[in-house]
Amino acid sequence: MKRSRCIEPIPLHRRKRLNRGKGGFRGCAGSICNTRLRLKSDTSQIDGSDFNGYRFAPALGDDGMDGHVVDDREQRSERVLEPIRMRSLREHIHDELRQAIISGRLKTGAKLNERQLAADLGTSTSPLKEALRQLEAEGLVRTEPRRGSYVTFSPRQAEEMTLARAALESIIARQAAKHAPDAAFARLRAVVDQMRIVLETGSVEQLIALNEQFHDTIHEASGCDYLRRLQNAQRTYDHAARITVLSSEDIRRASFHEHEAIMEAIVARNEDEAERLMRQHIMDAGKTHIELVF
């Protein structure tokens, strides 16, 4: 009988991309691509041009290297787009475990078998141990010497996260109603119009993506850089909670009407109503999440 999984394995192509050796990327002819290697001391963040401690910069010209030393400040000042950043294997594992805990797939009090989790994820135990240490720092996991790691996410912790998010999101909505330019209102209406269409014809995944775009649009319209930085610390929690909460069609429809009312209050520059509606929206979603998970 096949054992049911609480977490999904990391796709093979991602593991290969993150664990490939230091020889560089090979092209169709098997030769090393036309790149320059430069040692980089900080490998905690790996982006599209970084790989296993080296930084890859495209060589100028078609005939090989020109001897020009690439300067990061020069590149940043010239480029219009930022490079796509790849997450490390540890970050992938951390995010997968975090979502499994917050969504209730890994239950409170459950002992985390490292070997079994590593097998489920299709990886070794080394990055898994690093991810567990990060989860422990976040208060989602407790590690006991010689006994192992246990899930500690509780209804009380979920309630605290909801209260924190409600406080931040409601103030951001108020500031959006007060300070947002008219052009931002048009973008917010466009997102709500898309949500209305997807609610009837699209998938839950599309609706979740638009849900997050709705809140991101309000964040951007508010101009609240400091509050947005605080809120960004909860993004993984918010995403995992939305997956759980929006699993019901009735809740999806109720949530859409709440979003529509929030949008109307912001566009009307009704600061009090925008703050009140957003706070109630977040609190209701948090209550539903706790009821479904615990």
Side-chain angles (χ1 to χ4, degrees), residues 170 173-175 177-178 265 268-276:
S170 60
R174 181 183 189 88
Q175 293 299 96
K178 181 178 182 180
R269 297 197 182 276
N270 189 332
E271 300 169 31
D272 292 339
E273 188 71 353
E275 181 178 359
R276 184 188 70 80

Side-chain angles (χ1 to χ4, degrees), residues 37-52:
L37 297 177
R38 182 171 58 192
L39 187 61
K40 186 180 179 185
S41 58
D42 181 10
T43 59
S44 61
Q45 296 294 327
I46 302 176
D47 62 32
S49 59
D50 291 350
F51 190 76
N52 278 350

Side-chain angles (χ1 to χ4, degrees), residues 191-201 207 256 260:
V191 175
V192 171
D193 289 341
Q194 285 182 286
M195 293 175 76
R196 183 181 293 106
I197 295 171
V198 171
L199 182 65
E200 301 298 336
T201 62
L207 193 60
F256 167 74
E260 191 173 36

